[in-house]
Amino acid sequence: MRIKFVLTAAAAAILATTAVQAQDFKPRIVRFGYGLVDDSNQGRAVRYFAQEVEKATGGKMKVRAIGNASLGSDTQMQQALIGGAQEMMVGSTATLVGISPAMAVWDTPFLFTTVKEADAVLDGPVGEKVKASLEPKGMVGLVYWENGFRNLTNNKQPITKLEDMNGIKLRVMQNNVFLDSFKALGANAVPLPFSELFTALETRAVDGQENPFNTVISSKFYEVQKYLTVSNHVYSPWIVTVSKKWWDTLNAAEKQVLQDAAVKSRDFERKDTRNEASQALADIKAKGMQVNELPAAEVDRMRSKLVEVNTSIASAVGQDTWDAVQGALKQVRTGQ
Ligand code: KDG
């Protein structure tokens, strides 16, 4: 008799929990926009996030993963989130500097030298602080994903020394740090949205661009680019954001589900991106691109050329943010 009572009580508890969960979630459709193709590290992570949210809400909250910049460029989607016309997006922190100048700190050339440093700083207090700077502007930052270390591609010549950059029409993200950096390096920097990049390369409107290996593969840049130079000149984060207008309509349980799914998707995306990147260079060579490493002496020359740009970043983001990032980096590197 007693066993039957215990089982009934346990069943009641499970039902009650399920009942609370179902009660917590209203049917919602979440439009989650992104700029890369569906079969990319970005697309796979958005779909992973969608599965986690649907699982946690018993299917009540449905996330529509909408890629290929179908909902617009990064900056257009940012405005849609601020206006409440779209619920979520993932995109480059570099394109957010018009909304939050502090985001420019992540564009600092050669800031991170390893992904361990990037994870520790981005997921630590100063990363949180920069992420939180979006909220008063109408966007809620959930987590950083990895776009990765950026490298140069072009159709003119292998970049073996700084002088080879002279006169190359190089597409850059719409962001002054990238514009100033590549002008300082001698290139003719041309800011364009990512959604226009493949066509600009194909029509020779620009000679080259810079992106992580993963994107060179997923966006098939090897079809329209001849040379790839490994420079690792900057580590690019992506950031997953939510419309504040929409976020404020959610209850605590719904917010917690999105935050938990975002953290799980961050860990999935970083693992997937690094796994893909480890194979990407071999794939790029197999696709016919000519690959060279920028010699260390030339990287040092690049760094010294960009010192001036770093000064402008410190004043743009605020000395306290700049110092906090440098301090966090020192902590990761020295343990103090
Ligand atoms: O939507 C595309 C963006 O995610 C962007 O970050 C991709 O790195 C990119 C670029 O070069 O625009």
Side-chain angles (χ1 to χ4, degrees):
M1 189 58 170
R2 179 162 163 64
I3 291 172
K4 189 174 172 215
F5 170 76
V6 168
L7 286 177
T8 312
I14 289 166
L15 275 175
T17 313
T18 313
V20 165
Q21 279 177 344
Q23 194 177 328
D24 275 350
F25 305 116
K26 286 186 279 190
R28 290 183 188 269
I29 298 290
V30 184
R31 290 159 294 182
F32 192 146
Y34 60 98
L36 268 62
V37 297
D38 292 345
D39 185 16
S40 65
N41 52 339
Q42 200 177 63
R44 290 190 292 273
V46 175
R47 288 191 295 280
Y48 181 92
F49 174 84
Q51 288 157 11
E52 287 301 313
V53 169
E54 293 199 21
K55 202 165 42 176
T57 60
K60 286 285 184 66
M61 207 182 258
K62 297 201 182 310
V63 179
R64 299 270 182 263
I66 307 168
N68 294 292
S70 309
L71 295 180
S73 65
D74 282 16
T75 48
Q76 287 167 333
M77 289 195 284
Q78 290 157 12
Q79 292 309 315
L81 263 64
I82 291 167
Q86 180 181 328
E87 291 74 31
M88 291 187 69
M89 71 170 283
V90 60
S92 192
T93 54
T95 55
L96 277 164
V97 296
I99 293 168
S100 164
M103 283 288 167
V105 74
W106 309 130
D107 303 328
T108 305
F110 302 106
L111 180 70
F112 299 126
T113 52
T114 65
V115 291
K116 177 174 175 278
E117 290 176 4
D119 293 357
V121 175
L122 289 167
D123 298 347
V126 68
E128 285 303 317
K129 177 179 171 238
V130 172
K131 200 167 67 172
S133 69
L134 291 171
E135 193 146 349
K137 305 295 177 71
M139 297 172 76
V140 176
L142 295 186
V143 289
Y144 294 100
W145 287 356
E146 178 160 296
N147 188 357
F149 283 100
R150 303 178 78 94
N151 299 292
L152 296 158
T153 68
N154 83 91
N155 271 328
K156 291 270 184 184
Q157 59 188 5
I159 306 292
T160 60
K161 57 187 182 304
L162 226 46
E163 288 71 16
D164 293 340
M165 294 285 284
N166 290 344
I168 286 193
K169 277 190 292 184
L170 191 84
R171 176 271 178 179
V172 296
M173 287 192 279
Q174 298 153 290
N175 163 305
N176 286 338
V177 172
F178 279 79
L179 211 53
D180 297 346
S181 297
F182 285 100
K183 277 182 185 165
L185 296 174
N188 173 1
V190 180
L192 279 177
F194 184 78
S195 45
E196 297 173 19
L197 177 50
F198 188 91
T199 305
L201 293 169
E202 192 175 37
T203 58
R204 300 296 172 100
V206 293
D207 302 315
Q209 63 87 45
E210 42 84 54
N211 250 291
F213 298 149
N214 306 66
T215 303
V216 173
I217 287 287
S218 62
S219 292
K220 297 185 166 46
F221 289 158
Y222 51 81
E223 289 180 353
V224 289
Q225 293 282 265
K226 189 167 172 50
Y227 305 105
L228 183 142
T229 300
V230 181
S231 52
N232 293 320
H233 51 272
V234 66
Y235 173 94
S236 251
W238 282 321
I239 185 166
V240 176
T241 50
V242 185
S243 161
K244 175 93 168 72
K245 275 189 179 167
W246 181 70
W247 180 258
D248 289 345
T249 68
L250 304 181
N251 65 34
E254 290 171 317
K255 288 176 181 176
Q256 193 59 54
V257 162
L258 293 180
Q259 188 58 48
D260 293 347
V263 169
K264 284 182 183 173
S265 69
R266 175 198 65 194
D267 299 342
F268 166 85
E269 194 273 345
R270 286 172 175 171
K271 194 159 172 260
D272 176 59
T273 296
R274 291 164 194 173
N275 178 49
E276 183 183 52
S278 67
Q279 178 56 38
L281 202 50
D283 292 349
I284 285 165
K285 287 175 183 171
K287 299 285 185 187
M289 285 192 81
Q290 190 178 315
V291 176
N292 75 295
E293 292 252 353
L294 193 63
E298 292 304 310
V299 173
D300 290 344
R301 287 182 68 207
M302 211 184 227
R303 281 173 186 271
S304 56
K305 271 263 183 195
L306 295 173
V307 166
E308 219 173 283
V309 173
N310 288 358
T311 319
S312 71
I313 297 171
S315 57
V317 305
Q319 199 59 47
D320 57 334
T321 298
W322 178 265
D323 293 345
V325 168
Q326 299 306 322
L329 265 175
K330 181 169 179 281
Q331 166 75 31
V332 178
R333 288 171 180 163
T334 65
Q336 300 149 13

